[in-house]
Amino acid sequence: MSLSSRAVARIDLGAIERNCGRLPKPLCAVVKANGYGHGAVTAAQAALAGGAEWLAVATADEAAELRKAGIDARLLVMGALTAEELRTATGADADVVAWTEAVAEAAPRVHVKLDTGMGRLGTKDRELALRLAARPNTAGLMTHFATADEPGDDHFPAQLAAFREFLDEVGRDDLLVHAANSAAALRDPQSHFDMVRCGVAVYGLDPLQEDPETKGLEPALSLHSWVASLRRLEAGESAGYGRRWRAYEPTWLATVPIGYGDGWRRGLTNNADVLIRGRRHPLVGAVSMDNVTVALGPDTDVELGDEVVLIGRQGDERILAEEVARRLGTINYEVTTGLLPRVRREPVR
Ligand SMILES: Cc1ncc(COP(=O)(O)O)c(C=O)c1O
């Protein structure tokens, strides 16, 4: 397989479509932060093809970007907005989330957000939320769960109960009610209401940081680079900055042109595997800005130009974003979202 660039994230549109097909409907696909690193417009188009009816973003500029690309689906901007951003969101014909009188008055269509225990955005003030919910430009009611990805916890059912109580108090049946993120959508049908707001699962990433296959999800992103240089190190010779790894026997070493300048984080120093010719090989030495080094052992059939898979499948082996996340002490969301613009995104089918 030939590579168009030193580091490429292939985005499998079919996987996004099929993931959307497996999620509850109606579905709002969350494509904020460049579609969790997959490319916002690409992800949005694939999600819509897979049956999503709404798209959600965090910022007004993200909404404007989708409109500029010709996407005409319903849009929801979920983040806090400055007055200028509110004008941008309105200009993009997006609904916005409101928890203050000021935003509710200034925006044409709002979704009122009650903070039932996320403790971040939304209002905890029931009286205010009820007043906002009664306004004629209110189109939706929402909340957001803090612990939907912690099976068996008691905060999630408490949030759900508080939200239900609020819905009863509002007593309007003409509003679009939504609460569930991916974990909630997969965990509890009672959280679905009129729409689910799924992000991570759309991309085939597991909200519980397990193997997405166990939930019928297909990872959409794979990360590729190539063997750009090969050398043989003698025992005792080292690779990379700070000599963070030394060969204890004669060892072939591949240099792969991807580094923290691409979002392949330095925390993966001596702490990742890559796939070459369908086999796992350890990343050795420090991750530098533009390159990493990979140990191939005392003998190797690896050749210059061979494809290197850092996330994804090759032969019978695969490396999940969840594995990379575990090694970094983070979550899969951050691994894909953290891939920088220097990594070329390549939609494939
Ligand atoms: C308000 C809101 N709803 C839904 C989502 C989607 O969450 P997930 O990617 O876990 O499905 C997010 C993402 O963080 C969010 O902030």
Side-chain angles (χ1 to χ4, degrees), residues 30 32 36 78 113 120 142-144 179-183 197-201 207 333:
V30 180
K32 61 196 170 97
Y36 291 42
M78 302 192 295
K113 185 168 193 176
R120 190 180 66 174
M142 64 185 285
T143 194
H144 189 45
N181 57 2
S182 297
R197 291 191 314 266
C198 295
V200 81
Y333 296 68

Side-chain angles (χ1 to χ4, degrees), residues 176-189:
L176 186 72
V177 175
H178 47 102
N181 57 2
S182 297
L186 296 170
R187 166 178 175 165
D188 185 354

